[in-house]
Amino acid sequence: MPETFTLYVLNGPNLNLLGVREPDIYGHETLADVQALCEAAAEGARVVFRQSNHEGLLVDWIQEARTEADALVINPAAFTHTSVALLDALKALSIPVVECHLSNPAAREAFRHHSYVSLAATGVIAGFGARSYELAVKAALGEARKRAEAAARSS
């Protein structure tokens, strides 16, 4: 069992504009605020926190997480509804994956109701604003610890 878990938190397009873009939907917290919230919720786990507006870079980071992370939280933003590439990359992972959204996509426009990412996610947390990340971090690390304990028992 690893002494310190590593958690990747990946953020998709336009999340660099948190606090500025549609604060009535996404809140007033900035991405830096969300990063601080994730680091606090991780309770000592190493957090690799990244954001990109580019699908291919997110795919590269997901592939990197395959060998470098114990769990992954991803807010794919608009790529949630369009990216088979993210889905395919996530399907190559054997670590817990928690899909995270600030708003509740199911309560928004119809085109936001479908998530490709959910097909590869261990679970989904949505609709709690920045607190969604806190809940997602705790869930992802909890799953990683559970898997590490099960692996240690079976060794």
Side-chain angles (χ1 to χ4, degrees), residues 5-150:
F5 286 91
T6 298
L7 172 71
Y8 274 41
V9 180
L10 303 181
N11 298 279
N14 297 309
L15 289 169
N16 56 307
L17 298 177
L18 279 182
V20 176
R21 179 178 162 255
E22 299 181 277
D24 53 316
I25 295 173
Y26 301 111
H28 294 280
E29 292 90 351
T30 65
L31 195 59
D33 296 332
V34 169
Q35 180 174 357
L37 184 68
C38 289
E39 289 169 350
E43 300 175 349
R46 178 175 167 255
V47 176
V48 176
F49 190 93
R50 297 176 176 160
Q51 185 277 330
S52 180
N53 294 321
H54 304 282
E55 184 179 30
L57 188 51
L58 289 165
V59 168
D60 289 343
W61 291 338
I62 292 167
Q63 291 178 1
E64 179 183 301
R66 193 174 65 77
T67 59
E68 301 298 320
D70 299 291
L72 174 92
V73 170
I74 184 167
N75 182 345
F79 291 141
T80 302
H81 322 292
T82 63
S83 183
V84 174
L86 290 183
L87 169 63
D88 288 348
L90 290 166
K91 287 170 70 175
L93 300 181
S94 60
I95 60 174
V97 174
V98 177
E99 180 181 348
C100 175
H101 298 284
L102 295 157
S103 67
N104 179 358
R108 298 187 59 199
E109 305 93 335
F111 71 87
R112 296 186 194 273
H113 296 177
H114 181 265
S115 168
Y116 285 101
V117 171
S118 291
L119 298 172
T122 306
V124 179
I125 297 176
F128 297 99
R131 187 150 183 264
S132 292
Y133 280 88
E134 176 186 359
L135 298 168
V137 165
K138 289 181 181 289
L141 288 171
E143 285 297 308
R145 286 185 185 101
K146 187 168 69 173
R147 291 180 185 193
E149 288 166 4

